[in-house]
Amino acid sequence: MIECSVCHSKISANNNNSKAVARAYDRHRSDVSSKTRFLNLLLVVGDCILVGLQPILVYMSKEDGKFEFSPTSVNFLTETAKVFFAIFMLLIQARRKKVGEKSLVSLSTFVQAARNNVLLAVPAFLYAISNYLKFIMQLYFNPATVKMLGNLKVLVIAVLLKMIMKRRFSIIQWEALALLLIGISVNQLRTLPEGSSAMGLSVATGAYLYTLIFVSVPSFASVYNEYALKSQFETSIYLQNLFLYGYGAIFNFLAILVTAIFKGTSSLDILHGHSRATMLLICNNAAQGILSSFFFKYADTILKKYSSTVATIFTGIASAVLFGHALTMNFILGISIVFISMHQFFSPHSKVKDEPRDDSLEMVDSQNSQRSKDSSFINMTAGANDDASHHVGHDEKAPLLPI
């Protein structure tokens, strides 16, 4: 038997856990307390500010249309800053442990947690690639367009969540995601300058090649990160973050070494070319990464990406005010469609409805171990019996986020 970390109900390990837990998760999300909703709102607001500022800071870091510093060095310093933050918070959490609890900073706890959370190396590697691509994308598009392209990840993430974590979406929600894709496409009409080139490729070819990687790699990283964090839900999030950021720092440091082999030892100077804008960028990226971990563990990836979508309007207005980028009619129409899509996706009427269940039939079915045609219709997937008993209790309304 596996115990739910949220409501402490029992789910059989022999059943198709992913579908049963997905249904229980949907029911839990529909009955959370107002305090939890407020904390989720704070997450969204904080994420909108940080994500909205990132393209602006990256754009401010460019000189004559290029970067004087190594983007890999920025990513390495960002991961290092997050490691120190995780250690700091872990020490604070360890001092507040209750009597009888195992110390979070003991060697045995650290080694056991490292073994259990080894899967975090996968999203850490993918994030190292996607963080580098964020700088490359700035060479092709203005900040507002980069944010709109990033919104394509929502559709990819929805597909991956359905495939990997068996999440369920209603027809209306799929339509909302399609509407999101239309909004992004409207914004992208006639944004590439004609006849320009970069790196020996036409801008259209190079830009869309990087866009494909820019969308697919971090989407898989986000979904797998959520899977890895929630699969070890009892482990402290700060301890998990220590592993995730530690892996990220290692991968980025290896990238710096590889760069030094091809470009010389001068590449080892990780502070070369940095300015005040890049220091602000490092702080912003670190805060954004820390906040994202709370999204993935205590909320979900879709909410995280939609909150990033809201940041698009902030990025567009800020880039227009600071750099004189015009807010075209395409951008305004695209943003309008995106907000309609977001409202449709999170509307109470678009939620997935639970299949009808007959408890008496399911009880007879569990006792006799026989499935009639009626009961097989009710139990459409393995694990439906356990899911039906996965009721929402009063304790479930406790805040999801650690306070």
Side-chain angles (χ1 to χ4, degrees):
M1 301 294 290
I2 299 176
E3 182 177 346
C4 174
S5 301
V6 177
C7 63
H8 304 290
S9 298
K10 302 289 186 179
I11 298 176
S12 174
N14 295 325
N15 291 326
N16 193 338
N17 293 327
S18 58
K19 293 183 178 180
V21 172
R23 290 176 177 173
Y25 174 78
D26 289 338
R27 193 149 53 245
H28 166 76
R29 294 295 299 165
S30 64
D31 191 25
V32 295
S33 66
S34 58
K35 186 175 182 180
T36 300
R37 294 184 187 277
F38 177 71
L39 291 174
N40 284 341
L41 178 62
L42 291 180
L43 283 176
V44 171
V45 172
D47 187 65
C48 287
I49 296 174
L50 296 174
V51 174
L53 282 174
Q54 185 186 49
I56 304 297
L57 293 174
V58 172
Y59 188 85
M60 292 174 61
S61 301
K62 290 193 296 185
E63 295 184 11
D64 298 328
K66 61 181 182 179
F67 300 114
E68 295 295 333
F69 59 89
S70 169
T72 308
S73 67
V74 172
N75 296 333
F76 173 73
L77 293 173
T78 299
E79 297 299 324
T80 303
K82 291 191 289 186
V83 166
F84 282 112
F85 177 83
I87 294 175
F88 176 74
M89 295 303 300
L90 195 60
L91 293 175
I92 293 178
Q93 193 177 44
R95 294 182 59 182
R96 297 180 178 178
K97 75 179 185 69
K98 299 179 181 178
V99 178
E101 289 183 347
K102 198 170 184 180
S103 175
L104 293 174
V105 294
S106 65
L107 181 61
S108 59
T109 301
F110 183 85
V111 172
Q112 183 62 38
R115 292 175 179 174
N116 294 339
N117 291 273
V118 68
L119 291 178
L120 291 172
V122 176
F125 175 72
L126 296 176
Y127 280 136
I129 298 175
S130 65
N131 289 336
Y132 178 78
L133 289 177
K134 289 179 181 178
F135 291 93
I136 299 298
M137 292 294 289
Q138 291 285 347
L139 299 177
Y140 294 102
F141 303 106
N142 61 50
T145 304
V146 171
K147 283 307 309 157
M148 288 299 294
L149 282 173
N151 295 335
L152 282 168
K153 300 172 188 176
V154 177
L155 185 60
V156 179
I157 285 172
V159 175
L160 292 174
L161 283 173
K162 186 173 180 62
M163 294 174 58
I164 298 176
M165 301 186 69
K166 309 303 179 183
R167 287 286 304 280
R168 298 180 302 158
F169 302 101
S170 67
I171 297 297
I172 296 178
Q173 288 177 318
W174 283 114
E175 291 174 349
L177 294 175
L179 194 61
L180 173 65
L181 184 60
I182 293 174
I184 297 171
S185 301
V186 169
N187 178 69
Q188 285 303 295
L189 293 177
R190 300 176 65 180
T191 57
L192 288 176
E194 298 181 359
S196 54
S197 61
M199 297 173 60
L201 300 173
S202 66
V203 169
T205 303
Y208 287 116
L209 177 62
Y210 279 119
T211 298
L212 178 62
I213 304 175
F214 178 70
V215 170
S216 59
V217 171
S219 297
F220 184 77
S222 298
V223 173
Y224 204 88
N225 192 18
E226 179 179 346
Y227 171 78
L229 289 173
K230 288 181 176 176
S231 64
Q232 297 295 326
F233 198 86
E234 298 302 326
T235 305
S236 168
I237 187 173
Y238 302 116
L239 192 57
Q240 288 179 309
N241 283 345
L242 179 60
F243 299 133
L244 177 64
Y245 305 148
Y247 288 133
I250 292 174
F251 290 134
N252 281 285
F253 182 72
L254 291 177
I256 292 176
L257 294 180
V258 172
T259 303
I261 294 176
F262 290 97
K263 294 186 176 181
T265 56
S266 60
S267 301
L268 295 176
D269 184 6
I270 59 176
L271 297 179
H272 173 73
H274 286 277
S275 62
R276 185 176 303 174
T278 59
M279 293 297 105
L280 291 175
L281 177 63
I282 291 171
C283 294
N284 179 274
N285 289 351
Q288 185 184 154
I290 293 167
L291 194 64
S292 297
S293 65
F294 285 89
F295 266 103
F296 296 140
K297 184 160 185 173
Y298 299 106
D300 59 69
T301 311
I302 289 291
L303 179 63
K304 169 66 176 70
K305 292 308 173 184
Y306 258 111
S307 71
S308 299
T309 303
V310 178
T312 303
I313 188 171
F314 173 80
T315 304
I317 295 175
S319 61
V321 173
L322 296 176
F323 313 120
H325 293 157
L327 292 180
T328 64
M329 183 58 66
N330 288 345
F331 177 78
I332 296 174
L333 290 176
I335 284 293
S336 302
I337 297 174
V338 165
F339 274 98
I340 294 173
S341 166
M342 184 171 62
H343 176 268
Q344 181 176 336
F345 187 91
F346 290 104
S347 171
H349 301 289
S350 67
K351 301 298 182 183
V352 177
K353 302 297 188 298
D354 290 333
E355 294 90 346
R357 293 180 174 82
D358 189 338
D359 292 338
S360 61
L361 285 177
E362 292 182 358
M363 185 176 298
V364 172
D365 176 66
S366 62
Q367 292 175 350
N368 299 330
S369 300
Q370 296 177 349
R371 297 180 178 270
S372 64
K373 292 182 179 180
D374 292 336
S375 62
S376 63
F377 172 76
I378 294 172
N379 298 295
M380 295 179 66
T381 60
N385 280 340
D386 300 306
D387 179 41
S389 62
H390 195 89
H391 296 299
V392 176
H394 177 73
D395 291 341
E396 185 180 351
K397 296 185 179 182
L400 288 179
L401 299 181
I403 57 176

